[in-house]
Amino acid sequence: MSVVEEYARAHILTDADLPDADDGGAIPVVLRYDPDHDPRSVRVALPARGHGAGPREWTFTRALLEQGLRAPAGRGEVRVWPCGRVQTVVEFHTPQGCSVVQFETKALMRFLRRTYTAVAQPVAH
């Protein structure tokens, strides 16, 4: 099985998280799926916030991401919901605060499709 890593652009909707972006607040986000490590989970990595800080990463179930494309889903540190017809919002909670990130739904759907094709199909005998 192979790792799926996709780079997407997203918009930070929380003031505290706005980096110096040159295209209206869009930031590079890494979407990652490693079926050998955990076939049920995906990871989302946001770039570092501020000097000396490393990137922030959240791991949550692939099912949560998929459900959140259709209706509000999640509780705890990750929540996902559709925002109109073409956007999806992902909310990440930490003890330091909350990051609200808006993605194009089609980028998340493309990533999910790739995760399902990365899983090896059983060979029929």
Side-chain angles (χ1 to χ4, degrees), residues 15-120:
D15 290 340
D17 285 332
L18 288 175
D20 297 328
D22 56 1
D23 58 354
I27 60 165
V29 176
V30 179
L31 307 169
R32 185 174 171 84
Y33 173 70
D34 184 347
D36 292 329
H37 178 70
D38 184 352
R40 292 174 298 205
S41 295
V42 295
R43 288 187 280 172
V44 174
L46 300 179
R49 174 177 57 178
H51 299 295
R56 296 163 293 153
E57 185 173 285
W58 286 266
T59 301
F60 54 97
T61 66
R62 185 169 55 169
L64 171 61
L65 182 58
E66 190 169 3
Q67 291 167 3
L69 295 177
R70 296 184 302 275
R75 58 190 140 119
E77 71 176 35
V78 180
R79 299 173 187 160
V80 183
W81 68 89
C83 181
R85 296 177 64 192
V86 297
Q87 302 290 320
T88 299
V89 172
V90 182
E91 190 176 279
F92 302 104
H93 293 264
T94 68
Q96 293 77 33
C98 176
S99 296
V100 181
V101 184
Q102 186 175 42
F103 291 87
E104 285 191 22
T105 301
K106 66 182 177 182
L108 296 176
M109 290 174 66
R110 181 176 51 243
F111 171 68
L112 282 172
R113 273 195 306 273
R114 289 185 63 209
T115 69
Y116 287 110
T117 59
V119 178

